[in-house]
Amino acid sequence: MNGSTIGVGIIGYGYWGPNLARSVAGVDGCHVAAIADGAEDALARAAKMHPSAHLSRDWRDVIADPSVDAVMIATPVRTHFELARAALRAGKHVLVEKPMTETSEEASILIEEAARRNRVLMVDHTFVYTGAVQKIRDLISLGIVGDIFYYDSTRINLGLFQRDVNVMWDLAVHDLAILDFVLDDKPVAISASGADHFNGSRENMAHIVLYFSRGTIAHLNVNWLAPVKVRRTLIGGSQRMIVYDDLEPSEKVKIYDRGVNVTASPEQVYEMRVSYRIGDMWAPQISVKEALVTEVEHFVDCIANNALPLTNGHSGLAVIEYLECATQSLRQRGHPIELAPLRRAS
Amino acid sequence: MNGSTIGVGIIGYGYWGPNLARSVAGVDGCHVAAIADGAEDALARAAKMHPSAHLSRDWRDVIADPSVDAVMIATPVRTHFELARAALRAGKHVLVEKPMTETSEEASILIEEAARRNRVLMVDHTFVYTGAVQKIRDLISLGIVGDIFYYDSTRINLGLFQRDVNVMWDLAVHDLAILDFVLDDKPVAISASGADHFNGSRENMAHIVLYFSRGTIAHLNVNWLAPVKVRRTLIGGSQRMIVYDDLEPSEKVKIYDRGVNVTASPEQVYEMRVSYRIGDMWAPQISVKEALVTEVEHFVDCIANNALPLTNGHSGLAVIEYLECATQSLRQRGHPIELAPLRRAS
Amino acid sequence: MNGSTIGVGIIGYGYWGPNLARSVAGVDGCHVAAIADGAEDALARAAKMHPSAHLSRDWRDVIADPSVDAVMIATPVRTHFELARAALRAGKHVLVEKPMTETSEEASILIEEAARRNRVLMVDHTFVYTGAVQKIRDLISLGIVGDIFYYDSTRINLGLFQRDVNVMWDLAVHDLAILDFVLDDKPVAISASGADHFNGSRENMAHIVLYFSRGTIAHLNVNWLAPVKVRRTLIGGSQRMIVYDDLEPSEKVKIYDRGVNVTASPEQVYEMRVSYRIGDMWAPQISVKEALVTEVEHFVDCIANNALPLTNGHSGLAVIEYLECATQSLRQRGHPIELAPLRRAS
Amino acid sequence: MNGSTIGVGIIGYGYWGPNLARSVAGVDGCHVAAIADGAEDALARAAKMHPSAHLSRDWRDVIADPSVDAVMIATPVRTHFELARAALRAGKHVLVEKPMTETSEEASILIEEAARRNRVLMVDHTFVYTGAVQKIRDLISLGIVGDIFYYDSTRINLGLFQRDVNVMWDLAVHDLAILDFVLDDKPVAISASGADHFNGSRENMAHIVLYFSRGTIAHLNVNWLAPVKVRRTLIGGSQRMIVYDDLEPSEKVKIYDRGVNVTASPEQVYEMRVSYRIGDMWAPQISVKEALVTEVEHFVDCIANNALPLTNGHSGLAVIEYLECATQSLRQRGHPIELAPLRRAS
């Protein structure tokens, strides 16, 4: 019965690959056709959980597999470009882990490759597919939050020190993807600070500030060396404010009907006592559907309908451009880096 | 019976003055001798709560009052310098609200004035007198935390838009005073970002990064426009990590026995999976004594023993120097400002 | 100027007395005229904080003091009856700490005494004067919660082992007073369980269940031996549900628009999956005014206007009747005790 | 390669069955051999996730399947007895969902059946296999907690109204299983209160108090109609106290070094002020391994080594006896029910 559904090949069965495979197995319209991983034990786990999939230690077998219509790439970042390009050239649709590539140049090449071959190129910006982030996008686009004053995110924990990327490319990428999705504005300059506390390793903590064209200031606090896990974002607007805590079991998004009356003259603003509690708070119902399932369904739909994914190559490229500027600023102790309009246009 | 105790005059009975007066009334060795405030209703409240104190609408009466040995100044920042200098010149001991003055030059003048007249000059850096901050200082000085990698503070709420200072001078001053107290190191450069979201008012949100000489990075997140009140600081060290949440009713200070094994070679560091939970956490017992009472007792002791307060003019000056650099950097979108060694020496 | 305001005499300056005195000093229309306490150090503290009040070690001096119009009694429970009766007989208005007396018989006598002499008799059920409890009363009386299915309160901490009352008379009294205020219904039976873990002391933990005439079940969890302080109440209704957490700094009252559709037939009820998140939650703005100030203002108003307080002798008596039944049931391992209609009528 | 591992047949693929199947697929030494469910859509989901398993709408096919060595029963409670007995009679090992059966008589019959045929009979008391509960058991058995004064659990949420059991049989069963595992003592009497707020349905909320032979009092608060999900247990001992919050992402178990000095004479106990913060708190590292995986591994080990499981038929029977007594007491408004020594012996 699988013949009639999209055959998915998964390359990389380490930390994230098994989640992708489980989601594919649970979503209608696709099935796990093949899995590749260089490690024996990883393949053994794959065999037990997906006994009917083709297994191989060589990713080339997945790309060459005629039963594979689409490839999901969950390997180290440095390999994303080569594998994604090879898959596209083999005529496969591609879902690639974040960050999309190591450089914006590579990202641009993949975008062209996918366009030329009319294949779906999607980046795994998972948070864009959560009920919480989609609710926040709606609240902002409907004007309920008003003008966005700031976006302040803390995304810290004791995390994996990665070989090929620093903490910004590992954690800040999530917030940059969310910002690209929820804000109808682009950054004009970026200032970042951070440190590498272990000689020779990549930066393990960073603070990134993005200045947007219409005055929004975004701050991203990312850290691999935090004693506690925090996934908390505050969004301050002229009308309302949002607290988004992804670790909250139920009320992940809280909307506060409070702030400062901007019609007041500066004189009044000075005088006004902004009371600690002005209006009510409410927490709207959020879909509890697993984001990865929504994302895989979206991938399947885009393939079936030849549509552009929400998180397509261009959003992947934008995120990488921001990361490149942030890394440049971080090496100069926060010296602000301007984003060229041309690049922002992309 | 009050004759034998230190007579305290309080100038400014608005938001903070009543707390100072209540503490003075509750501490042995001192009493509320006089209160001045320009507002009738403030004086009426003072009269009801402290019926035996001399009341006046003119602060000069307090400074001229022979029953007043020491003056506490709880007025707007722009008036601190004039009032403190007048009080010192009248031979009074002085406790001045934070920030000490509007400029580092004024702070230096007060320091000289107090030294010349051999009077106690103390700055109301209240947090230095909390059981939590004193416990953190001990944990760091005893080497329990190890090398300090970072100090990351969030101090946000819906706050009073002040006429004469921006959010950094109102909120970050607390963390700068704590840093000056707990770290045995000085900043060498400062980068700050922020915004004024209401034309003509002062900056209402800011992110300040301080680079210290031995590698510590401090980040201060201050905001007058946050929907929720947060008073949370993370301190990451090579041995242990601390979470200090001042709003926690009981466990304000939590110590986490976790981190990365720095003896590992970079190669190993890359490979190592830093598990989300390594060692135990413990929350030591913290003194619940009110900080303001401890502080007033310390003020009384310093006067009685002619001693230098923990939060003396020099700590007040250092904090103001950092605020001046941060404001300068903020106006340049995070461009880092170096602190001259000479100034740090003070 | 105090002559024209109500002179208040405070008996007992231990733990709670100073709070009463501070509130009286802060409220218009009354002043601290006299303070009595048997302990020297307590009197010394009173003298420092309230230098203009008459001080005495003998409570009789307060009751005999012609400058005293009203007496506040903050002494051990076993003394409430004698002191309150003496004060009423001396023509003073009375505010007595909770619980009002040791027995319902004594409470009835005080009610008669106050009525005969036309004096105000008020019980210090402080929580009734909080913005949170008054908001809950409004939500219930306006039908927003619907039929009340349950009231489930947890009021635990490491507390003072009292000589003359057990934990129910110390902690459950708060919830019983709240129930008497917010519910338009009376209990018909009470079942209680508990234990005394130290030979010869009073019960230090208890669970009390009250069965109300219209089906509401109230459960009160009180404990002097809990490692953490909890002040949390859940109220479940046919329309909405409330979570009241008194330790929350801001959102003390949260209203959840969720539950089970009671129009459904039992068959449907069985089948229906009650999803973990049905509707929105909102947290209304709550007055942050200090309850004790509101209460003292109410006491002053009732004296000025010869009105019956919200927490009058009858509410004090009802609470004591419930406590007597609960103690009786506790000694029989939860055997339910029925409340006689006559008593409930009172 | 599956031939050499234990073949597991799963009956019931509704809510819990898929979790059992996923765990079996992930554990070495066993594999998913067959799945039965009466519903077509359930079977379709099973086919997609476990394409190599034998599927059937009739549970008898699973029990008759020669490739099935052990049967896991995840069906409604009313069917547990018939299915488990049939599986044992067919010579299969059995893991049955909690509660084990509808009556203690049925439980006893299954115990005899398993013993006669020398087959493993295990009850799915999942919490016993969590790192948190095993840590608590160790802390108690090592004497670190001291004499157990109380066990106070809150297990509430908006839950599924079940056809064949009330809320005690659905939720309290977890705590009763934990109590049976961590306490070296048996209850002597049970008092329970509760209500059915929808005519004809089962009780949807209950409070159960268990009196143990050595003075421990256990209270279980279970509710299907709570607006928030709570999984919180307090354990008070003579030496230390524990707070176990299963919803905490990391510190699930906190140990508080505080309490009352029991060597004090009652006189001293009365006088002593038990301060709100006595000693330190610490949160030990807890294994984050999924409980269901640990449990399935234990099931496989018991089959391989012909051993008695931690959660065997006798623990399943004890829990059901407590539930029967609690239901009896609930119908009498908390009237205490004594447990017969003979039954406790089992």
Side-chain angles (χ1 to χ4, degrees), chain B residues 143-186:
Chain B
I144 289 170
V145 184
D147 302 327
I148 306 302
F149 290 150
Y150 62 84
Y151 175 103
D152 184 7
S153 166
T154 304
R155 190 177 299 273
I156 62 178
N157 54 269
L158 266 189
L160 170 64
F161 275 63
Q162 299 195 6
R163 167 185 262 100
D164 51 359
V165 297
N166 66 27
V167 70
M168 297 192 296
W169 289 71
D170 177 41
L171 295 181
V173 60
H174 291 302
D175 294 293
L176 294 170
I178 294 171
L179 279 166
D180 189 70
F181 179 65
V182 302
L183 285 192
D184 178 27
D185 195 3
K186 297 285 182 189

Short mmCIF file of all heavy atoms in Angstrom, two decimals, chain B residues 143-186:
data_model
loop_
_atom_site.label_atom_id
_atom_site.label_comp_id
_atom_site.label_asym_id
_atom_site.label_seq_id
_atom_site.Cartn_x
_atom_site.Cartn_y
_atom_site.Cartn_z
N GLY B 143 35.54 30.60 46.06
CA GLY B 143 35.96 29.76 44.93
C GLY B 143 34.97 28.65 44.58
O GLY B 143 35.25 27.79 43.76
N ILE B 144 33.79 28.68 45.21
CA ILE B 144 32.82 27.61 44.97
C ILE B 144 32.26 27.68 43.55
O ILE B 144 31.92 26.67 42.95
CB ILE B 144 31.70 27.69 46.03
CG1 ILE B 144 32.27 27.27 47.39
CG2 ILE B 144 30.51 26.82 45.64
CD1 ILE B 144 31.36 27.53 48.56
N VAL B 145 32.21 28.87 43.00
CA VAL B 145 31.69 29.04 41.64
C VAL B 145 32.80 28.85 40.61
O VAL B 145 32.55 28.48 39.47
CB VAL B 145 31.03 30.43 41.48
CG1 VAL B 145 30.39 30.57 40.11
CG2 VAL B 145 29.98 30.64 42.57
N GLY B 146 34.03 29.07 41.03
CA GLY B 146 35.18 28.96 40.11
C GLY B 146 35.36 30.25 39.33
O GLY B 146 34.96 31.32 39.78
N ASP B 147 36.00 30.15 38.16
CA ASP B 147 36.14 31.32 37.31
C ASP B 147 34.76 31.73 36.83
O ASP B 147 33.96 30.88 36.43
CB ASP B 147 37.03 31.00 36.10
CG ASP B 147 38.41 30.51 36.52
OD1 ASP B 147 38.90 30.97 37.56
OD2 ASP B 147 38.96 29.64 35.82
N ILE B 148 34.50 33.03 36.85
CA ILE B 148 33.17 33.50 36.45
C ILE B 148 33.14 33.68 34.93
O ILE B 148 33.84 34.52 34.38
CB ILE B 148 32.83 34.84 37.14
CG1 ILE B 148 32.99 34.71 38.66
CG2 ILE B 148 31.41 35.26 36.77
CD1 ILE B 148 32.13 33.63 39.28
N PHE B 149 32.33 32.88 34.26
CA PHE B 149 32.19 32.98 32.81
C PHE B 149 31.25 34.13 32.43
O PHE B 149 31.52 34.90 31.55
CB PHE B 149 31.68 31.67 32.23
CG PHE B 149 32.66 30.54 32.29
CD1 PHE B 149 32.22 29.23 32.40
CD2 PHE B 149 34.03 30.79 32.25
CE1 PHE B 149 33.12 28.19 32.46
CE2 PHE B 149 34.94 29.74 32.30
CZ PHE B 149 34.48 28.45 32.41
N TYR B 150 30.10 34.17 33.12
CA TYR B 150 29.13 35.22 32.75
C TYR B 150 28.25 35.58 33.94
O TYR B 150 28.11 34.79 34.90
CB TYR B 150 28.26 34.77 31.58
CG TYR B 150 27.40 33.56 31.87
CD1 TYR B 150 26.15 33.67 32.50
CD2 TYR B 150 27.82 32.28 31.51
CE1 TYR B 150 25.37 32.56 32.76
CE2 TYR B 150 27.05 31.16 31.78
CZ TYR B 150 25.83 31.32 32.40
OH TYR B 150 25.06 30.20 32.67
N TYR B 151 27.68 36.78 33.87
CA TYR B 151 26.69 37.28 34.82
C TYR B 151 25.58 37.82 33.94
O TYR B 151 25.80 38.74 33.16
CB TYR B 151 27.31 38.38 35.68
CG TYR B 151 26.36 39.09 36.63
CD1 TYR B 151 26.37 38.79 37.99
CD2 TYR B 151 25.51 40.10 36.18
CE1 TYR B 151 25.53 39.47 38.88
CE2 TYR B 151 24.66 40.77 37.06
CZ TYR B 151 24.68 40.45 38.41
OH TYR B 151 23.85 41.12 39.28
N ASP B 152 24.40 37.22 34.01
CA ASP B 152 23.33 37.56 33.08
C ASP B 152 22.07 37.91 33.86
O ASP B 152 21.43 37.03 34.44
CB ASP B 152 23.07 36.36 32.15
CG ASP B 152 22.03 36.67 31.08
OD1 ASP B 152 21.61 37.84 30.98
OD2 ASP B 152 21.65 35.74 30.36
N SER B 153 21.74 39.20 33.87
CA SER B 153 20.64 39.66 34.71
C SER B 153 19.47 40.19 33.89
O SER B 153 19.67 40.87 32.88
CB SER B 153 21.14 40.78 35.64
OG SER B 153 20.05 41.45 36.22
N THR B 154 18.28 39.88 34.33
CA THR B 154 17.05 40.43 33.75
C THR B 154 16.31 41.17 34.85
O THR B 154 15.96 40.58 35.87
CB THR B 154 16.17 39.30 33.18
OG1 THR B 154 16.92 38.55 32.24
CG2 THR B 154 14.93 39.88 32.51
N ARG B 155 16.12 42.46 34.65
CA ARG B 155 15.47 43.32 35.65
C ARG B 155 14.45 44.19 34.94
O ARG B 155 14.74 45.29 34.49
CB ARG B 155 16.53 44.16 36.37
CG ARG B 155 16.03 44.92 37.59
CD ARG B 155 17.16 45.68 38.27
NE ARG B 155 18.21 44.79 38.75
CZ ARG B 155 18.18 44.19 39.94
NH1 ARG B 155 17.14 44.40 40.75
NH2 ARG B 155 19.15 43.40 40.29
N ILE B 156 13.25 43.62 34.77
CA ILE B 156 12.25 44.28 33.93
C ILE B 156 10.90 44.32 34.63
O ILE B 156 10.60 43.49 35.49
CB ILE B 156 12.11 43.53 32.59
CG1 ILE B 156 11.62 42.10 32.83
CG2 ILE B 156 13.43 43.52 31.83
CD1 ILE B 156 11.40 41.29 31.56
N ASN B 157 10.08 45.28 34.25
CA ASN B 157 8.72 45.40 34.77
C ASN B 157 8.07 46.60 34.11
O ASN B 157 8.69 47.30 33.31
CB ASN B 157 8.76 45.61 36.30
CG ASN B 157 9.63 46.78 36.71
OD1 ASN B 157 10.82 46.59 36.97
ND2 ASN B 157 9.09 48.00 36.73
N LEU B 158 6.78 46.80 34.41
CA LEU B 158 6.12 48.04 33.98
C LEU B 158 6.50 49.07 35.02
O LEU B 158 6.05 48.99 36.17
CB LEU B 158 4.61 47.85 33.93
CG LEU B 158 4.00 47.47 32.59
CD1 LEU B 158 2.48 47.54 32.69
CD2 LEU B 158 4.50 48.34 31.47
N GLY B 159 7.34 50.02 34.65
CA GLY B 159 7.89 50.91 35.67
C GLY B 159 7.59 52.36 35.43
O GLY B 159 7.02 52.74 34.41
N LEU B 160 7.99 53.14 36.37
CA LEU B 160 7.80 54.58 36.33
C LEU B 160 8.73 55.19 35.28
O LEU B 160 9.93 54.96 35.30
CB LEU B 160 8.14 55.16 37.70
CG LEU B 160 8.24 56.69 37.80
CD1 LEU B 160 6.91 57.33 37.50
CD2 LEU B 160 8.71 57.08 39.19
N PHE B 161 8.14 55.92 34.34
CA PHE B 161 8.97 56.68 33.40
C PHE B 161 9.50 57.89 34.14
O PHE B 161 8.73 58.76 34.53
CB PHE B 161 8.15 57.11 32.18
CG PHE B 161 8.08 56.05 31.13
CD1 PHE B 161 7.47 54.83 31.39
CD2 PHE B 161 8.63 56.26 29.88
CE1 PHE B 161 7.41 53.85 30.42
CE2 PHE B 161 8.57 55.28 28.91
CZ PHE B 161 7.96 54.08 29.18
N GLN B 162 10.79 57.93 34.36
CA GLN B 162 11.35 59.02 35.17
C GLN B 162 11.73 60.20 34.29
O GLN B 162 12.11 60.04 33.14
CB GLN B 162 12.55 58.51 35.96
CG GLN B 162 12.15 57.38 36.91
CD GLN B 162 13.20 57.11 37.95
OE1 GLN B 162 14.20 57.81 38.06
NE2 GLN B 162 12.98 56.08 38.75
N ARG B 163 11.62 61.38 34.87
CA ARG B 163 11.90 62.59 34.11
C ARG B 163 13.38 62.71 33.82
O ARG B 163 13.80 63.00 32.71
CB ARG B 163 11.44 63.83 34.89
CG ARG B 163 11.99 65.13 34.32
CD ARG B 163 11.63 66.35 35.14
NE ARG B 163 10.47 67.05 34.58
CZ ARG B 163 9.24 66.91 35.07
NH1 ARG B 163 9.02 66.11 36.08
NH2 ARG B 163 8.24 67.58 34.54
N ASP B 164 14.22 62.46 34.82
CA ASP B 164 15.61 62.89 34.67
C ASP B 164 16.61 61.78 34.40
O ASP B 164 17.79 62.06 34.22
CB ASP B 164 16.06 63.71 35.90
CG ASP B 164 15.76 62.97 37.20
OD1 ASP B 164 15.20 61.86 37.15
OD2 ASP B 164 16.07 63.52 38.26
N VAL B 165 16.18 60.52 34.38
CA VAL B 165 17.13 59.45 34.05
C VAL B 165 16.47 58.44 33.11
O VAL B 165 15.24 58.33 33.08
CB VAL B 165 17.61 58.70 35.32
CG1 VAL B 165 18.37 59.64 36.25
CG2 VAL B 165 16.44 58.06 36.04
N ASN B 166 17.30 57.70 32.36
CA ASN B 166 16.73 56.65 31.53
C ASN B 166 16.72 55.33 32.32
O ASN B 166 17.13 55.28 33.48
CB ASN B 166 17.51 56.52 30.21
CG ASN B 166 18.93 56.04 30.43
OD1 ASN B 166 19.23 55.34 31.40
ND2 ASN B 166 19.82 56.41 29.52
N VAL B 167 16.25 54.25 31.67
CA VAL B 167 16.03 52.99 32.36
C VAL B 167 17.34 52.41 32.93
O VAL B 167 17.33 51.74 33.95
CB VAL B 167 15.35 51.98 31.41
CG1 VAL B 167 16.29 51.53 30.31
CG2 VAL B 167 14.82 50.79 32.20
N MET B 168 18.46 52.72 32.30
CA MET B 168 19.73 52.19 32.80
C MET B 168 20.08 52.81 34.14
O MET B 168 20.51 52.13 35.07
CB MET B 168 20.85 52.44 31.79
CG MET B 168 20.65 51.75 30.45
SD MET B 168 22.13 51.77 29.40
CE MET B 168 22.32 53.52 29.12
N TRP B 169 19.85 54.12 34.24
CA TRP B 169 20.17 54.81 35.49
C TRP B 169 19.19 54.44 36.59
O TRP B 169 19.46 54.60 37.78
CB TRP B 169 20.18 56.33 35.26
CG TRP B 169 21.34 56.80 34.44
CD1 TRP B 169 21.54 56.60 33.10
CD2 TRP B 169 22.49 57.51 34.90
NE1 TRP B 169 22.73 57.14 32.71
CE2 TRP B 169 23.34 57.71 33.79
CE3 TRP B 169 22.89 57.99 36.15
CZ2 TRP B 169 24.55 58.38 33.87
CZ3 TRP B 169 24.10 58.67 36.25
CH2 TRP B 169 24.93 58.86 35.12
N ASP B 170 18.04 53.91 36.22
CA ASP B 170 17.03 53.54 37.21
C ASP B 170 17.18 52.07 37.64
O ASP B 170 17.13 51.76 38.83
CB ASP B 170 15.62 53.74 36.61
CG ASP B 170 14.51 53.29 37.56
OD1 ASP B 170 14.62 53.54 38.77
OD2 ASP B 170 13.56 52.66 37.07
N LEU B 171 17.38 51.16 36.68
CA LEU B 171 17.38 49.72 36.99
C LEU B 171 18.77 49.08 36.92
O LEU B 171 19.17 48.34 37.81
CB LEU B 171 16.43 48.98 36.06
CG LEU B 171 14.94 49.34 36.19
CD1 LEU B 171 14.10 48.51 35.21
CD2 LEU B 171 14.45 49.11 37.62
N ALA B 172 19.52 49.39 35.85
CA ALA B 172 20.83 48.73 35.70
C ALA B 172 21.76 49.11 36.85
O ALA B 172 22.67 48.34 37.20
CB ALA B 172 21.46 49.10 34.37
N VAL B 173 21.51 50.26 37.45
CA VAL B 173 22.35 50.69 38.57
C VAL B 173 22.41 49.62 39.66
O VAL B 173 23.44 49.40 40.28
CB VAL B 173 21.82 52.04 39.13
CG1 VAL B 173 20.41 51.91 39.63
CG2 VAL B 173 22.74 52.57 40.21
N HIS B 174 21.30 48.90 39.85
CA HIS B 174 21.29 47.84 40.87
C HIS B 174 22.30 46.75 40.53
O HIS B 174 23.11 46.35 41.37
CB HIS B 174 19.89 47.23 40.97
CG HIS B 174 18.86 48.14 41.54
ND1 HIS B 174 18.97 48.70 42.80
CD2 HIS B 174 17.68 48.59 41.04
CE1 HIS B 174 17.91 49.46 43.05
NE2 HIS B 174 17.12 49.41 42.00
N ASP B 175 22.29 46.28 39.29
CA ASP B 175 23.20 45.20 38.90
C ASP B 175 24.64 45.67 38.87
O ASP B 175 25.55 44.92 39.22
CB ASP B 175 22.79 44.65 37.53
CG ASP B 175 21.44 43.97 37.60
OD1 ASP B 175 21.35 42.91 38.26
OD2 ASP B 175 20.48 44.48 37.02
N LEU B 176 24.86 46.91 38.46
CA LEU B 176 26.22 47.42 38.43
C LEU B 176 26.78 47.49 39.85
O LEU B 176 27.95 47.19 40.09
CB LEU B 176 26.24 48.80 37.76
CG LEU B 176 25.88 48.77 36.26
CD1 LEU B 176 25.67 50.18 35.73
CD2 LEU B 176 26.95 48.03 35.47
N ALA B 177 25.93 47.85 40.80
CA ALA B 177 26.37 47.89 42.19
C ALA B 177 26.66 46.48 42.70
O ALA B 177 27.63 46.25 43.43
CB ALA B 177 25.31 48.56 43.06
N ILE B 178 25.81 45.52 42.31
CA ILE B 178 26.03 44.13 42.72
C ILE B 178 27.32 43.61 42.11
O ILE B 178 28.15 43.00 42.79
CB ILE B 178 24.82 43.25 42.31
CG1 ILE B 178 23.57 43.66 43.09
CG2 ILE B 178 25.14 41.77 42.54
CD1 ILE B 178 22.29 42.99 42.61
N LEU B 179 27.53 43.89 40.82
CA LEU B 179 28.76 43.44 40.15
C LEU B 179 29.98 44.01 40.85
O LEU B 179 30.96 43.31 41.10
CB LEU B 179 28.74 43.90 38.68
CG LEU B 179 27.93 43.04 37.71
CD1 LEU B 179 27.71 43.78 36.40
CD2 LEU B 179 28.63 41.70 37.48
N ASP B 180 29.92 45.31 41.19
CA ASP B 180 31.05 45.96 41.86
C ASP B 180 31.33 45.30 43.21
O ASP B 180 32.46 45.27 43.68
CB ASP B 180 30.74 47.45 42.06
CG ASP B 180 31.94 48.24 42.54
OD1 ASP B 180 32.87 48.42 41.74
OD2 ASP B 180 31.95 48.64 43.73
N PHE B 181 30.29 44.70 43.80
CA PHE B 181 30.42 44.10 45.14
C PHE B 181 30.85 42.64 45.07
O PHE B 181 31.70 42.20 45.86
CB PHE B 181 29.08 44.22 45.87
CG PHE B 181 29.06 43.60 47.24
CD1 PHE B 181 29.84 44.12 48.27
CD2 PHE B 181 28.26 42.50 47.51
CE1 PHE B 181 29.82 43.56 49.54
CE2 PHE B 181 28.23 41.94 48.77
CZ PHE B 181 29.01 42.47 49.78
N VAL B 182 30.33 41.86 44.13
CA VAL B 182 30.60 40.41 44.14
C VAL B 182 31.79 40.00 43.28
O VAL B 182 32.42 38.98 43.54
CB VAL B 182 29.35 39.61 43.70
CG1 VAL B 182 28.15 39.90 44.60
CG2 VAL B 182 29.00 39.88 42.25
N LEU B 183 32.12 40.79 42.24
CA LEU B 183 33.23 40.41 41.36
C LEU B 183 34.51 41.11 41.78
O LEU B 183 34.50 42.31 42.04
CB LEU B 183 32.91 40.76 39.91
CG LEU B 183 31.92 39.89 39.14
CD1 LEU B 183 31.99 40.23 37.67
CD2 LEU B 183 32.16 38.41 39.38
N ASP B 184 35.60 40.36 41.81
CA ASP B 184 36.90 40.95 42.10
C ASP B 184 37.59 41.29 40.77
O ASP B 184 38.68 40.81 40.47
CB ASP B 184 37.75 39.95 42.91
CG ASP B 184 39.13 40.50 43.17
OD1 ASP B 184 39.28 41.74 43.21
OD2 ASP B 184 40.07 39.68 43.29
N ASP B 185 36.91 42.09 39.96
CA ASP B 185 37.41 42.40 38.62
C ASP B 185 36.71 43.67 38.15
O ASP B 185 35.66 44.05 38.69
CB ASP B 185 37.11 41.22 37.68
CG ASP B 185 37.91 41.30 36.38
OD1 ASP B 185 38.73 42.23 36.25
OD2 ASP B 185 37.71 40.42 35.52
N LYS B 186 37.29 44.34 37.15
CA LYS B 186 36.72 45.58 36.64
C LYS B 186 36.45 45.45 35.15
O LYS B 186 37.19 44.76 34.45
CB LYS B 186 37.69 46.75 36.87
CG LYS B 186 37.97 47.05 38.33
CD LYS B 186 36.80 47.75 38.98
CE LYS B 186 37.11 48.10 40.43
NZ LYS B 186 35.90 48.59 41.15
#
